[in-house]
Amino acid sequence: MANIKGGEKRARQAVGLRSRNRAEKSKINTVHKRLLEAVAAADKAKAKAVFSEYCSVLDKTLKHGIVKANMVNRSKSRAAAKLAAMK
């Protein structure tokens, strides 16, 4: 536990930030799973729609500083390759 008031406040803030970050990362994983399911089902229209949503979620988490740029670029590239291989 922190010894000074400022440290106590930072500890309180960290709890909220951590839960927000975990929620956003969970959202990334959920949309990615939906994308993989659409690709496995060979549903092109649904896969394209989910791919667009996946890219949007990744870009938003990058903008908020939750994930790093290389991770976003790598994930989008791999997802696009799976989408292209489906055709």
Side-chain angles (χ1 to χ4, degrees):
M1 191 63 198
N3 293 326
I4 57 176
K5 272 183 142 179
E8 291 173 1
K9 181 177 179 178
R10 292 299 293 171
R12 286 194 310 269
Q13 289 174 333
V15 172
L17 289 171
R18 185 167 49 250
S19 66
R20 218 170 306 141
N21 290 345
R22 286 182 72 181
E24 290 298 318
K25 287 183 179 183
S26 175
K27 186 185 248 183
I28 290 173
N29 293 334
T30 302
V31 177
H32 185 247
K33 190 184 227 182
R34 285 195 2 232
L35 176 64
L36 294 179
E37 289 171 358
V39 169
D43 186 358
K44 288 182 186 178
K46 184 178 178 184
K48 280 187 177 182
V50 176
F51 175 73
S52 177
E53 183 184 355
Y54 182 57
C55 290
S56 176
V57 169
L58 285 171
D59 289 336
K60 285 177 185 175
T61 54
L62 173 64
K63 183 176 77 172
H64 294 143
I66 296 169
V67 295
K68 296 192 176 191
N70 285 349
M71 180 267 187
V72 170
N73 294 334
R74 183 177 60 247
S75 299
K76 285 164 60 172
S77 176
R78 288 178 181 172
K82 285 182 180 164
L83 193 63
M86 196 174 79
K87 295 181 181 179

